Amino acid sequence: MIYFDHAATTPVRPEVVAVIQESLIEDYGNPSSTYALGRRTRQHIDQARRIFASSVKADPADIIITSCGTESNNTAIIPTALALEGKGKHLITSATEHHAVLHPMHYLEELGFEVTYLSVDDTGRVTLQSVMDAVREDTILVSLMYANNEVGSINPIAEIGSFLAEKNILFHTDAVQAFGSETIDVRQQHIDLLSVSAHKINGPKGIGFLYRKNSLHLPNFIHGGSQENDHRGGTENTPYIRGFAKAIALMEIEREESNRKKRGLGNYFLSELEKSGVPFECNGVYPEGVPHILNLWLPGMRSDKMLIQCDLKGIMLAAGSACTAGSLEPSHVLEAMYGKGNPRATESLRISFGPDNTTDEADTLISLLKSIHNKQYKNG
Ligand SMILES: Cc1ncc(COP(=O)(O)O)c(C=O)c1O
């Protein structure tokens, strides 16, 4: 089995599993209870919150622990727009966002908001100029992803943040794919809302956080008990919260080395693929994007057929993003970058590395791609 789909999700680290297991057994007290068992669980959550906050240079009071990246994005966008509609009903996002941003935007359109979907160039990035051109008097929120989940391109977050701060327009970024490899500083980058998910950094699925400045006084998305500083009802998932904190602590220690390994393997892959004679082009701006994502156009080779061949050999990777991989829809990201009907949208593969992938694994995938290519070529 060869796993090249780390942008979809990552294996949970054994150290994280150990913390979760310990917490499942020991932290059964409800953190809202005032007796010792509850108080101890609360302390564990407070400690994790400090780790979440420091990972993006934020204040712990500005962290809302959520159930996933999708919930973080929904919380960042929907109640914010509803609260500010008196000020304006215009929102800005980009055409290449994850569905966890695009679908809340579509929902708001149904409620009468107007959304501008910025186009991207063939690097997959939006430009500061395009944001400047799109901003209007009634713009209340801009949501742009930090790094794209299909091609890995990184948006100019700090420049856009600084411009929007001057204009007094709220800025959200979906940092789910960037959090593992990039150093994020919400203050320096003028980010008001930022979404993160644990399962992309070797934590468990089903836990994430949203950085949201308390001083913004934005309304809740999930209504219920007074958990999360009264911002999100629901008894806390202490084991996963602690597991997520452990994953972040490990990530921060190993980030540089892990980035180096992933980038090294990506470079190796490209040079060996070139030697193999399989025609290809990179989609996006390799090596300028996040180091784990390599997206390749293999002209004439259909993504869905390649995925089946890879699966038969135990190689796991993706064409579009994981959430749409079950369907044969062309990638909305590649279409936005290269135009509708461009063969890249249906003839590309996303290979996403983890630090433990090896050059042998890369060689196995390359020889499979070579044999698919040769067969196809022979069959005309
Ligand atoms: C850019 C991006 N945003 C949001 C999400 C959704 O995160 P989660 O799976 O934790 O809901 C993903 C996951 O694929 C993603 O890649």
Side-chain angles (χ1 to χ4, degrees):
M1 179 184 120
I2 298 177
Y3 190 72
F4 279 145
D5 204 13
H6 292 81
T9 195
T10 54
V12 183
R13 294 271 301 246
E15 301 93 322
V16 172
V17 173
V19 168
I20 293 173
Q21 254 171 352
E22 180 193 296
S23 178
L24 275 169
I25 294 163
E26 291 182 3
D27 298 334
Y28 62 87
N30 189 317
S32 299
S33 303
T34 49
Y35 43 75
L37 191 60
R39 288 200 308 274
R40 202 187 61 195
T41 312
R42 158 82 34 228
Q43 281 166 7
H44 282 311
I45 294 173
D46 289 346
Q47 169 60 13
R49 191 185 308 284
R50 285 192 284 274
I51 292 172
F52 300 157
S54 94
S55 71
V56 294
K57 314 273 186 303
D59 192 330
D62 294 337
I63 299 294
I64 303 175
I65 302 172
T66 65
S67 68
C68 58
T70 301
E71 185 193 320
S72 299
N73 285 344
N74 274 261
T75 308
I77 296 167
I78 296 172
T80 308
L82 294 175
L84 299 182
E85 72 179 312
K87 200 177 156 209
K89 294 187 90 166
H90 180 235
L91 308 155
I92 298 174
T93 188
S94 80
T96 56
E97 299 294 314
H98 191 273
H99 289 134
V101 165
L102 290 176
H103 290 179
M105 289 290 179
H106 297 164
Y107 171 71
L108 288 169
E109 281 179 305
E110 281 168 24
L111 298 186
F113 286 83
E114 202 185 323
V115 181
T116 298
Y117 296 89
L118 298 180
S119 52
V120 295
D121 55 21
D122 61 5
T123 67
R125 293 184 289 231
V126 296
T127 60
L128 172 60
Q129 191 58 50
S130 68
V131 178
M132 286 171 149
D133 293 344
V135 157
R136 309 188 323 207
E137 278 295 299
D138 60 341
T139 308
I140 48 171
L141 172 69
V142 175
S143 177
L144 295 170
M145 67 202 319
Y146 204 119
N148 184 269
N149 51 299
E150 291 193 34
V151 294
S153 316
I154 299 175
N155 277 324
I157 295 299
E159 287 91 325
I160 294 170
S162 162
F163 166 72
L164 293 173
E166 265 175 39
K167 291 268 169 198
N168 214 10
I169 297 170
L170 293 186
F171 183 32
H172 166 245
T173 185
D174 172 352
V176 166
Q177 289 292 339
F179 185 61
S181 60
E182 307 309 302
T183 308
I184 297 173
D185 184 326
V186 289
R187 290 195 194 103
Q188 261 185 20
Q189 296 173 295
H190 304 280
I191 298 165
D192 299 303
L193 305 120
L194 175 134
S195 306
V196 167
S197 176
H199 73 97
K200 310 288 183 179
I201 61 144
N202 305 99
K205 289 153 194 60
I207 194 88
F209 72 76
L210 172 69
Y211 158 74
R212 182 175 85 173
K213 274 192 247 169
N214 240 332
S215 53
L216 297 174
H217 300 296
L218 290 166
N220 296 346
F221 186 53
I222 306 243
H223 300 266
S226 57
Q227 291 90 353
E228 291 308 299
N229 202 15
D230 228 354
H231 291 311
R232 179 190 183 269
T235 303
E236 297 88 337
N237 185 346
T238 312
Y240 277 21
I241 291 171
R242 289 186 60 191
F244 186 11
K246 181 70 184 177
I248 293 177
L250 293 168
M251 170 195 89
E252 287 180 336
I253 295 167
E254 296 167 11
R255 178 182 268 154
E256 223 174 287
E257 175 69 358
S258 171
N259 286 353
R260 199 186 54 71
K261 282 187 183 162
K262 292 174 208 163
R263 182 64 75 214
L265 193 57
N267 293 340
Y268 173 84
F269 193 93
L270 289 181
S271 75
E272 292 302 307
L273 188 60
E274 202 158 336
K275 286 185 209 156
S276 79
V278 177
F280 74 93
E281 274 179 38
C282 286
N283 293 318
V285 282
Y286 190 89
E288 284 171 36
V290 283
H292 61 293
I293 298 181
L294 182 58
N295 196 310
L296 300 177
W297 175 38
L298 297 136
M301 293 163 71
R302 280 198 54 127
S303 320
D304 49 348
K305 292 201 175 131
M306 284 191 282
L307 288 188
I308 293 168
Q309 295 298 321
C310 287
D311 189 23
L312 289 171
K313 296 272 181 210
I315 305 174
M316 282 155 262
L317 35 67
S321 65
C323 306
T324 49
S327 72
L328 298 179
E329 296 285 299
S331 153
H332 74 281
V333 174
L334 296 176
E335 281 195 334
M337 288 166 68
Y338 300 106
K340 268 209 185 319
N342 190 302
R344 286 183 191 246
T346 48
E347 297 175 352
S348 292
L349 281 186
R350 180 187 70 182
I351 304 157
S352 51
F353 302 113
D356 297 331
N357 282 132
T358 63
T359 51
D360 280 352
E361 291 176 329
D363 291 339
T364 306
L365 175 56
I366 291 167
S367 61
L368 177 62
L369 293 176
K370 190 175 171 180
S371 86
I372 299 172
H373 172 260
N374 289 349
K375 251 186 231 154
Q376 197 158 299
Y377 189 70
K378 257 193 228 138
N379 297 340

